[in-house]
Amino acid sequence: MDTIKFNDKGSIKMVAHRGVSGLEKENTCPAFELAGKKSYYGIETDVHVTKDGKFILAHDSDLRRLADVDMMVEESNFDDLRALRMKGIDGGKVRDDLFLPTLEEYIGICKKYDKQAILELKNSIFREKVWEIADITKELGWMDRVTFIAFSRQDLLYLRERYPEANAQLLIGYCTEDDIKFMVDNRFDTDLYNECLTKEKVKRLHEAGIKVNVWTVNTLEEAKKMQDFGVDMITTNILE
């Protein structure tokens, strides 16, 4: 099995959602490495703060779906989370290479393959931890190649305090005029749920100077629809 080729995407930038999660276990180094070897513009992931104040990558707040264990990421210590090993997407054997990555490992893979890091700040994070996440990307020499995304407006505002020029997108399921005003006032772009979009909405966002990323698009039919709407980026599990 391979990615589905979107050969006529034109200027649209493709982002691998949690790595190539249609082919490898989401948010793992193998999923990121696979994205790195393909034509994606960026690799998306999710960063949590652990109970002991460290950073680890996973989408869900609990690990029942991902690792078949009853653990809450933010209520668990880093070492316990890091020790977990997971099965592949085929549900076969537990693999030694499928573990929750560190922020440093993820940025390292983005650097290795020259990919934009699309980094979601999960849940609401204290100001100092938002700053620390951004500081790590800067120390690793990749700050200019990170796009921070978050549902939390406050997390993005914390980011702006320390890094006023950081590339950032507000994650939203449905875009209102209040959302547009917030993005314009604070110079954020947007990462929108694909089913809420219309051609008119994309036009309105572009007129406001807001770039549009869209999630999660996994069929050529839907990708072509988003292309017709005029989106700037598509986040996907399997399209390339």
Side-chain angles (χ1 to χ4, degrees):
M1 186 177 179
D2 201 356
T3 50
I4 300 169
K5 297 290 186 180
F6 183 19
N7 292 319
D8 302 318
K9 56 183 171 284
S11 63
I12 293 176
K13 295 175 178 177
M14 304 297 287
V15 175
H17 186 229
R18 309 176 199 172
V20 186
S21 55
L23 299 179
E24 274 287 10
K25 192 77 169 188
E26 65 180 66
N27 282 333
T28 61
C29 291
F32 300 151
E33 288 276 354
L34 185 56
K37 294 172 183 176
K38 294 184 176 291
S39 65
Y40 295 99
Y41 160 75
I43 304 172
E44 187 266 354
T45 194
D46 312 88
V47 60
H48 285 265
V49 182
T50 65
K51 182 180 178 180
D52 50 351
K54 299 181 181 179
F55 305 116
I56 203 157
L57 308 186
H59 178 269
D60 298 355
S61 294
D62 71 79
L63 295 175
R64 286 188 289 269
R65 178 183 66 85
L66 191 67
D68 298 318
V69 293
D70 188 15
M71 292 176 69
M72 299 295 292
V73 176
E74 292 166 5
E75 296 174 7
S76 303
N77 289 326
F78 175 86
D79 287 346
D80 295 326
L81 294 165
R82 182 69 169 179
L84 294 171
R85 294 296 181 268
M86 298 173 286
K87 297 176 181 179
I89 62 172
D90 60 359
K93 295 180 179 180
V94 172
R95 287 167 44 186
D96 287 341
D97 62 339
L98 296 182
F99 49 81
L100 303 186
T102 65
L103 179 58
E104 289 85 352
E105 286 167 337
Y106 162 70
I107 295 295
I109 292 170
C110 290
K111 288 184 69 174
K112 176 182 175 181
Y113 294 102
D114 195 29
K115 301 296 185 181
Q116 187 80 4
I118 314 296
L119 183 58
E120 180 175 349
L121 307 172
K122 292 301 289 187
N123 304 327
S124 294
I125 303 176
F126 291 120
R127 172 188 277 110
E128 291 75 14
K129 287 300 177 182
V130 172
W131 290 354
E132 189 176 343
I133 289 167
D135 289 347
I136 289 170
T137 68
K138 182 179 180 181
E139 289 164 7
L140 292 171
W142 213 240
M143 184 65 186
D144 292 341
R145 295 292 306 279
V146 178
T147 300
F148 296 91
I149 63 177
F151 283 101
S152 168
R153 292 186 178 193
Q154 188 60 66
D155 285 353
L156 294 179
L157 292 175
Y158 288 152
L159 177 69
R160 274 281 176 266
E161 290 177 16
R162 191 175 185 95
Y163 291 97
E165 301 305 318
N167 191 344
Q169 299 174 349
L170 177 67
L171 273 162
I172 37 180
Y174 182 80
C175 184
T176 67
E177 284 298 317
D178 177 67
D179 293 322
I180 292 173
K181 183 179 187 305
F182 173 77
M183 289 185 283
V184 170
D185 288 347
N186 296 283
R187 296 175 295 108
F188 296 131
D189 292 317
T190 190
D191 194 348
L192 270 164
Y193 182 45
N194 74 87
E195 291 188 13
C196 84
L197 270 188
T198 63
K199 195 167 190 174
E200 292 72 27
K201 181 66 72 175
V202 175
K203 182 173 185 251
R204 171 74 182 93
L205 288 161
H206 282 167
E207 287 173 347
I210 298 167
K211 293 179 181 177
V212 180
N213 186 3
V214 58
W215 52 275
T216 305
V217 176
N218 292 319
T219 68
L220 284 173
E221 179 182 14
E222 190 67 22
K224 290 173 182 175
K225 179 180 176 182
M226 294 298 110
Q227 183 179 45
D228 181 62
F229 286 175
V231 303
D232 303 285
M233 300 168 68
I234 287 176
T235 299
T236 176
N237 297 335
I238 194 69
L239 296 177
E240 182 185 357

